[in-house]
Amino acid sequence: MALTKFGWLSNYSSSGVITRRSSRLRLGSRHPVKRYLLVLAIVSVMALAAKNMVRSSIGRAWMAVRDMDVAPRSRIPIVKTKLLAFAISSFYCGVAGALYAFAYLGTVEPAGLSSSFPSGSSS
């Protein structure tokens, strides 16, 4: 797993547990109201960015590709538009995961991120 192979990724922790560094900005405050307000501010900025994105030419291209009967006539690059939508949604999901780990969990451990699925019986 990448968290245990690369030291810089796990803050050079021998166990692989990622913890917050103490900083002068005090963004990682232990006080839950401060963490809530930080997360609220980030979510508000990202929601405003998403709203503006939907109203821009990118959003109009997404709607044209979604409707599919308009996209070929308007010469919108369908593959590029879909890849951009995927990349932006992946960025939003990554930020949501980072905020979850920062504000709720506090630490991230490699054992908690295993990709193995429980095996179920077929009967």
Side-chain angles (χ1 to χ4, degrees), residues 24-75:
R24 294 182 185 191
L25 295 176
R26 298 286 181 210
L27 293 178
S29 174
R30 295 190 195 280
H31 196 49
V33 174
K34 289 183 180 179
R35 284 187 293 179
Y36 170 75
L37 291 175
L38 176 68
V39 171
L40 182 65
I42 293 172
V43 168
S44 298
V45 166
M46 292 186 70
L48 184 64
K51 180 181 173 185
N52 288 336
M53 228 181 309
V54 169
R55 293 180 177 182
S56 70
S57 60
I58 295 170
R60 287 192 296 273
W62 288 341
M63 288 181 234
V65 169
R66 180 193 64 198
D67 294 341
M68 213 42 144
D69 58 336
V70 180
R73 287 183 279 159
S74 61
R75 300 177 193 253

Side-chain angles (χ1 to χ4, degrees), residues 67-107:
D67 294 341
M68 213 42 144
D69 58 336
V70 180
R73 287 183 279 159
S74 61
R75 300 177 193 253
I76 294 173
I78 296 175
V79 175
K80 181 181 173 185
T81 304
K82 286 184 178 184
L83 283 175
L84 184 62
F86 177 75
I88 290 172
S89 66
S90 298
F91 172 75
Y92 271 68
C93 290
V95 170
L99 287 176
Y100 176 71
F102 169 77
Y104 184 70
L105 296 178
T107 62

Side-chain angles (χ1 to χ4, degrees), residues 8-29:
W8 54 268
L9 193 58
S10 62
N11 200 15
Y12 298 101
S13 172
S14 60
S15 66
V17 176
I18 300 173
T19 57
R20 291 181 276 202
R21 287 186 185 177
S22 61
S23 67
R24 294 182 185 191
L25 295 176
R26 298 286 181 210
L27 293 178
S29 174

